Amino acid sequence: MANVVVELVASEPVRVLRTTYSVLAFDADGRLDPGRFEKQQFALAESVVAPVIASSSDESNQPVVVATARFIAQGGHWIPSPAVARAIEEAALGQRQYARL
């Protein structure tokens, strides 16, 4: 899944502001597994917030790093090839034709 945030001027797309890519999981019946996606999204948020909280506590000097959330979040993330990323950006900006479902 690609999430693309596009800046609009006079209702026309002018540039891509942010793009994120996620991996969606499906169950045995081919339905989206929202629980797994939600778990990955919460883990992503935790992996971003945890270092900020840790730096403000006395425990930040501890040698042990708990990276569980980071690994869960990473499992829901992918990096497209440059060609695929360019195609997604061009489609988001209306510069490329694509099939609509």
Side-chain angles (χ1 to χ4, degrees), residues 45-61:
E46 181 182 335
S47 68
V48 171
V49 174
V52 175
I53 294 170
S55 68
S56 65
S57 73
D58 294 333
E59 297 177 17
S60 63
N61 295 326

Side-chain angles (χ1 to χ4, degrees), residues 15-94:
R15 69 182 172 133
V16 171
L17 299 175
R18 182 170 177 258
T19 307
T20 59
Y21 305 96
S22 301
V23 175
L24 299 176
F26 295 87
D27 64 18
D29 296 321
R31 293 182 299 230
L32 179 65
D33 182 353
R36 182 168 173 189
F37 180 73
E38 184 178 276
K39 184 177 180 181
Q40 290 166 336
Q41 294 304 300
F42 280 125
L44 178 61
E46 181 182 335
S47 68
V48 171
V49 174
V52 175
I53 294 170
S55 68
S56 65
S57 73
D58 294 333
E59 297 177 17
S60 63
N61 295 326
Q62 298 297 322
V64 176
V65 176
V66 179
T68 305
R70 195 175 339 160
F71 288 114
I72 292 170
Q74 188 177 26
H77 178 75
W78 67 284
I79 300 172
S81 69
V84 170
R86 187 172 43 259
I88 291 169
E89 184 171 317
E90 289 171 356
L93 294 173

